[in-house]
Amino acid sequence: MNLRIGVIGTGAIGKEHINRITNKLSGAEITAVTDVNQEAAKQTVQDFELNASVYPDDDSLLASENVDAVLVTSWGPAHESSVLKAIQHGKYVFCEKPLATTAEGCMRIVKEEMKTGKRLVQVGFMRRYDSGYIQLKEAIDNRAVGEPLMIHCAHRNPTVASNYSTDMAVVDTLVHEIDVLHWLVNDDYESVQVIYPKKSKNALPHLKDPQMVIIETKGGIVINAEIYVNCKYGYDIQCEIVGEDGVIKLPEPSSISLRKEGKLSTDILMDWQRRFAAAYDAEIQDFIESIRKKGEVSGPTAWDGYIAAVTTDACVKAQESGQKEPVALQEKPAFYQSFTTVSK
Ligand code: NAP
């Protein structure tokens, strides 16, 4: 029998996940949807020709016997409440980032999940399912270039909406590096610092762009992460690990090379949806299969959501202070000790 999934929030990413579950992936079907905008929820059911009920809110959807698991794809401030309620109903929950908008909120979810004695919560950090990052992880774990010493990375977007603010560069954008980098090197963060280079002419007056974030890990690795969200030329994710004996680099997305009129060229992607499409498919398929086969989820944990919240809070503080700020994580509970990786 298919896993019966309810979707809380039928906005952009909610619809994308509905599409992949309905038209691309196997083992699940959408049986319920809700959104603060009820018309949008009804329209989604029509557009995707779903055999699904539209519920007035997350409470009624979560109480339905026709729902085994939910996707929380509403806007960030609504996530914590829906995830807590899902756990209390004993439903599996895939939550898009952020797990909660505060570290305290993430910790409430961690505690609620631990009470159940099994993993119900997966956070939508899809980069761990990207084949390039998986190759990087395997090379690091095998010490292909010895101990990792430094990481240089860049997160570049062609442009952002006019309501994009300086703090969103870390909270919404860098958060994906923040999650994937500690997973790659299996090392917790010690401190963060933010430096503002000369401002780009492409950035709106209210926005500091680009930004450079320096992250130090407890084990002494130094990471420099560039965020440049008005770079114009493309959506470009770079990551280079400098080890004791060599360098490992995230592969470029595959693309044909074109030889024409005296030039050799390849396309650069312009949007994150295409860059990580396969990773989104893989993370949701893993959510479905882990529940069906093991009765537990196995992707990024609520604890990973907590690490991201504490680290982005420290980054926002560092943006304001200009100082190095500590990343003060609580001790990792034994419950999460064995859930450190997702490598397929
Ligand atoms: P969006 O298009 O604005 O969709 C959010 C949807 O949730 C909207 O339909 C919104 O309704 C609805 N909503 C707001 N409050 C709600 C509530 N209390 N209960 C139920 N529904 C509610 O945003 P999005 O781009 O899909 O992003 C959704 C979440 O996914 C965000 O947290 C975002 O950070 C995350 N995200 C993650 C990735 C990734 O790479 N992993 C990519 C994109 C987005 P209204 O339109 O009426 O407000």
Side-chain angles (χ1 to χ4, degrees), residues 11-13 35-36 73-75 78-79 96-97 124 126 176 272 280:
I13 195 106
D35 194 285
V36 281
T73 47
S74 56
W75 74 312
H79 291 185
E96 273 302 344
K97 58 90 184 161
M126 75 294 176
H176 286 294
W272 51 268
Y280 287 114

Side-chain angles (χ1 to χ4, degrees), residues 28-80:
E29 62 189 302
I30 307 296
T31 55
V33 298
T34 187
D35 194 285
V36 281
N37 180 345
Q38 286 281 288
E39 286 313 308
K42 287 178 193 157
Q43 192 62 49
T44 303
V45 169
Q46 270 187 25
D47 290 348
F48 290 96
E49 300 177 1
L50 303 175
N51 185 16
S53 310
V54 177
Y55 288 86
D57 49 35
D58 57 353
D59 287 298
S60 52
L61 182 147
L62 286 161
S64 168
E65 289 184 356
N66 205 22
V67 170
D68 307 309
V70 291
L71 307 185
V72 175
T73 47
S74 56
W75 74 312
H79 291 185
E80 179 188 343

Side-chain angles (χ1 to χ4, degrees), residues 189-206:
Y189 302 134
E190 175 77 24
S191 67
V192 295
Q193 190 174 4
V194 180
I195 295 166
Y196 300 110
K198 183 173 172 175
K199 182 173 163 158
S200 164
K201 69 175 181 355
N202 301 327
L204 286 169
H206 69 271

Side-chain angles (χ1 to χ4, degrees), residues 80-334:
E80 179 188 343
S81 157
S82 292
V83 174
L84 285 171
K85 286 188 267 191
I87 298 170
Q88 285 151 7
H89 277 90
K91 308 268 164 146
Y92 302 99
V93 49
F94 173 92
C95 181
E96 273 302 344
K97 58 90 184 161
L99 178 60
T101 51
T102 62
E104 295 75 24
C106 292
M107 192 50 89
R108 282 189 281 277
I109 291 171
V110 160
K111 288 185 176 157
E112 200 65 30
E113 183 180 39
M114 285 198 297
K115 272 196 234 164
T116 72
K118 75 172 182 175
R119 277 208 54 206
L120 295 174
V121 180
Q122 175 171 336
V123 183
F125 289 128
M126 75 294 176
R127 286 205 193 173
R128 298 188 191 199
Y129 293 88
D130 174 76
S131 67
Y133 277 109
I134 291 171
Q135 289 172 61
L136 267 191
K137 170 91 179 138
E138 284 168 359
I140 294 168
D141 285 350
N142 295 334
R143 293 294 181 260
V145 291
E147 287 292 319
L149 308 174
M150 294 176 280
I151 304 177
H152 307 296
C153 48
H155 190 140
R156 303 190 188 118
N157 292 54
T159 185
V160 283
S162 58
N163 63 353
Y164 188 96
S165 52
T166 294
D167 61 326
M168 286 167 77
V170 290
V171 174
D172 277 356
T173 302
L174 189 74
V175 67
H176 286 294
E177 271 77 17
I178 286 172
D179 177 68
V180 84
L181 295 174
H182 77 80
W183 170 74
L184 276 179
V185 293
N186 197 21
D187 194 0
D188 277 333
Y189 302 134
E190 175 77 24
S191 67
V192 295
Q193 190 174 4
V194 180
I195 295 166
Y196 300 110
K198 183 173 172 175
K199 182 173 163 158
S200 164
K201 69 175 181 355
N202 301 327
L204 286 169
H206 69 271
L207 182 64
K208 290 184 172 159
D209 188 41
Q211 300 181 33
M212 180 70 77
V213 181
I214 314 293
I215 307 175
E216 290 176 48
T217 71
K218 292 199 184 302
I221 300 168
V222 176
I223 299 163
N224 67 353
E226 169 202 318
I227 315 158
Y228 182 22
V229 295
N230 287 283
C231 79
K232 299 291 178 201
Y233 74 85
Y235 179 74
D236 194 7
I237 301 299
Q238 298 290 328
C239 184
E240 185 179 271
I241 316 285
V242 181
E244 294 166 306
D245 306 319
V247 172
I248 325 168
K249 207 168 181 317
L250 183 71
E252 296 287 342
S254 75
S255 167
I256 56 162
S257 66
L258 183 68
R259 286 171 158 80
K260 193 175 173 190
E261 293 169 354
K263 282 198 171 61
L264 173 61
S265 63
T266 53
D267 284 351
I268 294 178
L269 294 174
M270 292 302 286
D271 62 79
W272 51 268
Q273 286 97 331
R274 283 184 64 203
R275 172 64 181 83
F276 288 110
Y280 287 114
D281 288 349
E283 69 169 353
I284 301 287
Q285 190 67 66
D286 185 40
F287 178 70
I288 295 166
E289 276 173 23
S290 295
I291 295 168
R292 281 165 56 96
K293 291 185 183 152
K294 299 190 302 186
E296 269 194 314
V297 302
S298 57
T301 65
W303 186 256
D304 294 315
Y306 165 75
I307 292 175
V310 172
T311 311
T312 52
D313 279 356
C315 287
V316 172
K317 206 167 167 197
Q319 282 181 323
E320 288 158 7
S321 72
Q323 305 294 313
K324 192 191 271 194
E325 298 290 347
V327 178
L329 293 173
Q330 294 189 27
E331 197 173 326
K332 189 173 183 177

